[in-house]
Amino acid sequence: MKIENPNISTEVKIKEAARRIFLEKGFAGCSSRDIAAEAGVNVALVNYYFRSKERLFDLIFKDEFDNFFSTMVETFSSDQLNLKEKLKIFISHEIDFLCKHPDLPQFLLTELKRCDDNSTEHSDKFSKISSTGVFAEFQQAQADGKIREIDLLSLSLLVMSNCHYPFLGRGMIMSIHQINEDQFLAHMEKHKEYVSEMLINYLFINNENK
Amino acid sequence: MKIENPNISTEVKIKEAARRIFLEKGFAGCSSRDIAAEAGVNVALVNYYFRSKERLFDLIFKDEFDNFFSTMVETFSSDQLNLKEKLKIFISHEIDFLCKHPDLPQFLLTELKRCDDNSTEHSDKFSKISSTGVFAEFQQAQADGKIREIDLLSLSLLVMSNCHYPFLGRGMIMSIHQINEDQFLAHMEKHKEYVSEMLINYLFINNENK
DNA sequence: AATTGTTTTAAACAAGCGTTTAAATTACTT
DNA sequence: AAGTAATTTAAACGCTTGTTTAAAACAATT
């Protein structure tokens, strides 16, 4: 008898507890018992619902990875916007998103490094970015003389650096500048404008601002 | 009898093995036996020479932390250079340095987060930056109308983002753009120029380039 | 060669790990 | 109310962890 109980709260409780713990401490930095304690359930239930710590982790990693890249790809997929608007909105959306998930960048980078199965495992996710056509769009704009001559690698790096780094280095930054998490997140509103202005000024050749 | 043997090679072997392992896997991601194996010595020797895994880690962390900040502070301490030159040289030196220590940024950020004793422990190291007078110099330049109106927090963020992020996100970047470590490091030479040009164009008001 | 102190070793320690088991409890069906 | 399946539990499993021990190997002095 298969009982389709809506009482899946234990499974969800464990998964959400694991999400919090994994994002904060990383896979190697926590134990199954940490997760069970956070969820307020018996240790055995972690394996009862998810078979192993690793399978539970993989589930959450995939979740967060997809979520992260969906957010990145979202704006680029629009047909309605020109490149400059896409970049502006991308920067704004990306920083907004990361303000709500400040631990995500470090989590993804750390665990990507740990697994190290970079070749074919996640490359289809990565290719979603190029399949939005945004790279081709940039190259066309370069051919048209609308944006500066710059390779796609450095272009990606400049954009990602300024959107993602604040959330990677925020611990250090907060220490140096003696501010707390809330002050830092509040500051990101201002920072969005600086990043947007700087990148657009640098990349786009015909500067009609705003 | 105190023997001042120059045969300290075992101690050094362990410390350098630990440095490699810690930088690659992090404190939580490796065991004492991993370190002993990397050094090619018995496990007990790790504790014989360094009392505990944690003390060995603290030694290496302090080393790397100091090394990292010395490199940052170095250029700023010069009296010979004006602000624009300082920034140019800082960017170049920083990226050169990180090309030789590509794992260092992720190591420091991960372990700073793990320890979380941000308040007074390392704040004296952090304050070395402001004690170079570079922050005051920036504020003076702002008052003189030489550089854009921007708070020190965002200014730091812009500079650090573009210098440090490439080495944090290089795993992801290498996957997306299908290149290997050597190609990535080689590309950093080009990237230095982009970063330098972009930041100087954005921050400094009177643009006489080069 | 015997004695010293230092270095290295194999083995073991308790504690914690991920995971499994088997029994107890709960929820549902008939 | 009885029986069945799903859930939860306490306890244990074998293994790895960081660390310690006690003996062996080594080096140096006398």
Side-chain angles (χ1 to χ4, degrees), chain A:
Chain A
M1 289 184 187
K2 302 267 178 68
I3 296 178
E4 299 297 331
N5 249 8
N7 181 24
I8 53 166
S9 72
T10 299
E11 187 172 348
V12 171
K13 262 198 300 183
I14 293 171
K15 191 170 176 183
E16 292 313 308
R19 191 186 308 275
R20 289 191 297 274
I21 298 281
F22 280 143
L23 272 160
E24 196 191 325
K25 313 248 194 191
F27 181 81
C30 72
S31 68
S32 302
R33 283 166 178 84
D34 290 338
I35 294 168
E38 171 82 10
V41 302
N42 192 282
V43 207
L45 289 182
V46 174
N47 282 40
Y48 175 76
Y49 282 107
F50 299 96
R51 296 192 55 82
S52 76
K53 182 194 176 189
E54 190 124 28
R55 284 176 67 93
L56 174 54
F57 175 83
D58 288 345
L59 233 59
I60 284 161
F61 182 82
K62 198 172 139 47
D63 249 36
E64 298 295 322
F65 191 86
D66 287 353
N67 194 13
F68 181 72
F69 272 89
S70 301
T71 307
M72 288 191 73
V73 166
E74 222 167 56
T75 313
F76 289 150
S77 304
S78 166
D79 287 336
Q80 315 273 0
L81 306 166
N82 64 32
L83 253 190
K84 193 182 285 188
E85 284 166 341
K86 274 188 188 177
L87 184 57
K88 268 187 192 170
I89 292 176
F90 173 80
I91 293 165
S92 178
H93 282 191
E94 194 73 1
I95 291 179
D96 284 346
F97 173 76
L98 292 179
C99 277
K100 291 182 216 138
H101 306 87
D103 284 333
L104 189 49
Q106 173 149 32
F107 170 76
L108 292 177
L109 293 182
T110 301
E111 304 300 339
L112 269 176
K113 187 185 180 193
R114 191 179 59 85
C115 300
D116 212 56
D117 51 355
N118 51 357
S119 53
T120 49
E121 181 77 19
H122 299 299
S123 63
D124 52 321
K125 310 281 174 46
F126 291 146
S127 68
K128 273 188 184 170
I129 297 175
S130 63
S131 72
T132 62
V134 71
F135 286 159
E137 208 171 338
F138 260 106
Q139 283 170 321
Q140 183 58 50
Q142 271 181 332
D144 297 347
K146 290 180 182 172
I147 73 165
R148 171 188 298 269
E149 283 291 331
I150 184 173
D151 58 290
L152 284 177
L153 177 48
S154 270
L155 180 71
S156 312
L157 267 179
L158 290 180
V159 175
M160 289 171 73
S161 292
N162 289 284
C163 290
H164 297 171
Y165 180 83
F167 301 92
L168 291 161
R170 75 188 203 284
M172 203 181 273
I173 291 284
M174 280 159 53
S175 281
I176 293 176
H177 291 270
Q178 308 269 38
I179 59 170
N180 61 33
E181 181 92 21
D182 289 336
Q183 293 172 295
F184 178 82
L185 291 177
H187 187 89
M188 282 299 105
E189 284 304 312
K190 240 201 269 181
H191 196 67
K192 270 198 305 203
E193 300 302 321
Y194 292 132
V195 169
S196 206
E197 196 182 356
M198 179 181 70
L199 284 174
I200 284 170
N201 278 359
Y202 184 64
L203 294 173
F204 289 84
I205 288 168
N206 296 332
N207 276 331
E208 3 82 66
N209 258 341
K210 193 136 230 178

